[in-house]
Amino acid sequence: MMRILAIGALLWAGAVQADISVKTVTSPGGLSAWVLEEPAIPFTALNIMFSGGAALDPPDKRGAAFMMTGLLDEGAGDLDSQAFAAAKEALSASFSFDVSDDTLSISVRVLTENRAEALALLKTALMEPRFDPDAVERVRQQVLSILASNAQDPTDIAQRVWAEQAFGDHAYGTDYQGTESSVAALTRADFLAAHQNLLVRDAISVSAVGDITAEELGPILDDLLGELPAGSALETAPLELDIPAGLTVVDIPTPQSVAIFGHSGIDRAHPDYFAAFILNTILGGRGIESRLTAEVREKRGLTYGISTVLISKDQADVMLGQVASANDRIGAAIEVIRDEWSKLARDGVTADELHAAQTYLTGAYPLRFDGNSQIARILVGMQRQGLGLDYINTRNARINAVTLPEINRVAAQLLKPEALNFVVVGQPTGLTEE
């Protein structure tokens, strides 16, 4: 299996540098999908994404979607958990189930010779999950263990507090994995409700990559997904983003402090998104080559690592950063971050920085296509984001089309040093809450 994945990576890393022909498929039953045909190896990756995720949990049932997703391969139909696992192993099939605030995703990897049987097994998991008491309690204990570990982790604490401040009472402001009390109280009825809400036919995006044709995929879609209940995805509750500026300290005994910082971001569909994407790369998204790394780590030795990222959720867009430093140095690191945020907003980037970032982003793009499963995941994400079929082949041109005046205009509009919200977890010295 590993050799197959390695060969697939080589095939697609080369292919993305040329035109990639993505085909659209509409099944006889009306289901749509994208497919990239690559018959060179007998292997297919299938990715299914349902719009609507853990943010749809009722407030007192947080964690229901997360646990339900974890239970999908813990027994289905006539097969209990052990029998289901044995059947999957016998077919050399891989099913991966994941949930976020806004989506539920299923990733499938299967050899062509076992595809029909493997997808029949997957269909059973989707249509007839058992939610057996022993499986429920086992997964519940796993989740509670994760929550207990997270409760002691400074980074997780900082992220949780920042989200609470940024998103308030909205579901985004709470952990999609749930809380100790909410997870402990979840019942089989809650998992059935989450399953009914999330796995609906009109909320699906699908992509397939590998040894499968468009003609083959249509009937497969109907057989695998056609019996799901009709209906559109439930929408995440609207959110009026109002992130308070300032600094919060959470006192935890640890030798170093962790800081999460950020403010509002930019929607993925905004015309200025590519300029903002490059801007973030220059500021903190390019590892050791970023401005923040140069100033905070290389010049001053205040951290081993610092980064920023643009995050787009269905109801909120944020620009978020993270840094860790010794308790007696985190204050200096924050001061440098604020200074660099201000300089970039005021003065913009240089022509050399823009060119270097564009070269980096366009050169690194083919490396993302490191196997059929990764490509299928990228394609299904493109569908959900409303990107066109030609995005893979035009993305680098869009990066290179961003001009210096454009990116500097976006820097002045997007970067708001006065709006930065810092949450610091540790025992920092010389820092006062704002």
Side-chain angles (χ1 to χ4, degrees):
M1 180 67 75
M2 292 303 295
R3 178 169 175 77
I4 288 174
L5 293 177
I7 293 172
L10 291 174
L11 287 170
W12 286 112
V16 75
Q17 298 177 54
D19 284 344
I20 291 179
S21 178
V22 181
K23 297 180 179 180
T24 59
V25 175
T26 301
S27 74
L31 293 169
S32 298
W34 290 5
V35 59
L36 278 175
E37 300 174 1
E38 179 46 68
I41 52 177
F43 168 78
T44 300
L46 183 71
N47 198 289
I48 305 164
M49 180 176 287
F50 294 85
S51 291
L56 298 179
D57 286 341
D60 61 340
K61 304 291 185 182
R62 201 70 165 124
F66 181 66
M67 269 195 69
M68 182 276 292
T69 305
L71 286 162
L72 286 177
D73 62 351
E74 290 286 343
D78 296 332
L79 304 175
D80 64 12
S81 180
Q82 290 185 342
F84 187 93
K88 185 171 61 172
E89 183 177 356
L91 294 168
S92 298
S94 172
F95 306 155
S96 176
F97 302 90
D98 189 30
V99 71
S100 69
D101 273 333
D102 296 317
T103 62
L104 188 154
S105 300
I106 303 166
S107 177
V108 181
R109 297 183 297 175
V110 62
L111 295 171
T112 302
E113 62 184 280
N114 298 331
R115 187 171 66 205
E117 291 178 273
L119 293 182
L121 183 64
L122 175 64
K123 179 180 178 179
T124 305
L126 299 181
M127 300 299 303
E128 304 176 62
R130 290 167 62 114
F131 303 133
D132 288 333
D134 59 337
V136 166
E137 292 311 312
R138 183 173 60 255
V139 172
R140 191 195 312 274
Q141 292 307 312
Q142 292 170 353
V143 174
L144 290 173
S145 178
I146 292 171
L147 294 176
S149 176
N150 290 347
Q152 304 301 317
D153 181 79
T155 300
D156 191 84
I157 295 169
Q159 291 172 342
R160 186 170 65 251
V161 174
W162 198 92
E164 290 171 356
Q165 295 187 0
F167 307 128
D169 294 334
H170 192 275
Y172 292 164
T174 59
D175 190 343
Y176 72 94
Q177 296 175 333
T179 65
E180 183 177 349
S181 60
S182 70
V183 169
L186 292 173
T187 67
R188 187 174 188 273
D190 298 322
F191 307 135
L192 290 170
H195 183 272
Q196 182 178 10
N197 285 339
L198 294 178
L199 275 69
V200 292
R201 197 164 60 240
D202 296 337
I204 301 174
S205 299
V206 182
S207 65
V209 178
D211 185 27
I212 189 169
T213 66
E215 291 74 20
E216 290 172 325
L217 182 57
I220 286 174
L221 292 176
D222 283 344
D223 185 58
L224 178 63
L225 303 170
E227 295 178 24
L228 288 172
S232 301
L234 300 177
E235 293 188 4
T236 305
L239 170 63
E240 199 69 38
L241 196 61
D242 184 20
I243 303 173
L247 186 149
T248 301
V249 175
V250 181
D251 190 332
I252 298 290
T254 178
Q256 72 171 7
S257 293
V258 173
I260 299 295
F261 55 93
H263 55 47
S264 60
I266 185 170
D267 189 88
R268 181 64 182 76
H270 195 286
D272 289 333
Y273 182 81
F274 278 99
F277 181 57
I278 300 171
L279 178 68
N280 175 73
T281 300
I282 295 169
L283 176 62
R286 195 187 167 192
I288 61 173
E289 301 297 327
S290 71
R291 277 201 187 189
L292 288 178
T293 298
E295 296 296 330
V296 180
R297 172 182 165 173
E298 301 300 324
K299 290 185 180 179
R300 296 171 176 84
L302 298 173
T303 185
Y304 285 112
I306 184 170
S307 62
T308 60
V309 64
L310 294 173
I311 298 175
S312 291
K313 292 177 174 285
D314 282 0
Q315 300 294 338
D317 305 295
V318 297
M319 188 173 190
L320 206 60
Q322 177 176 329
V323 67
S325 187
N327 283 327
D328 61 349
R329 312 194 79 184
I330 189 69
I334 290 174
E335 184 177 350
V336 176
I337 292 167
R338 282 174 163 160
D339 286 346
E340 289 305 310
W341 219 272
S342 296
K343 289 177 184 177
L344 196 50
R346 182 184 66 243
D347 303 329
V349 307
T350 67
D352 287 345
E353 285 178 317
L354 173 59
H355 177 70
Q358 289 170 321
T359 301
Y360 166 75
L361 290 170
T362 56
Y365 190 53
L367 302 180
R368 295 179 58 193
F369 295 76
D370 61 352
N372 290 359
S373 295
Q374 176 73 351
I375 298 165
R377 185 190 66 79
I378 291 172
L379 291 181
V380 84
M382 286 169 52
Q383 290 177 65
R384 188 172 186 276
Q385 292 168 10
L387 303 177
L389 285 170
D390 64 345
Y391 178 80
I392 292 176
N393 297 313
T394 62
R395 180 264 194 188
N396 279 356
R398 299 184 196 187
I399 293 288
N400 286 329
V402 174
T403 65
L404 190 63
E406 180 183 2
I407 193 172
N408 286 336
R409 172 183 58 79
V410 172
Q413 295 172 347
L414 178 63
L415 299 177
K416 306 177 184 70
E418 73 287 351
L420 279 169
N421 177 300
F422 286 84
V423 173
V424 181
V425 176
Q427 293 183 321
T429 57
L431 275 183
T432 304
E433 288 197 351
E434 303 170 5

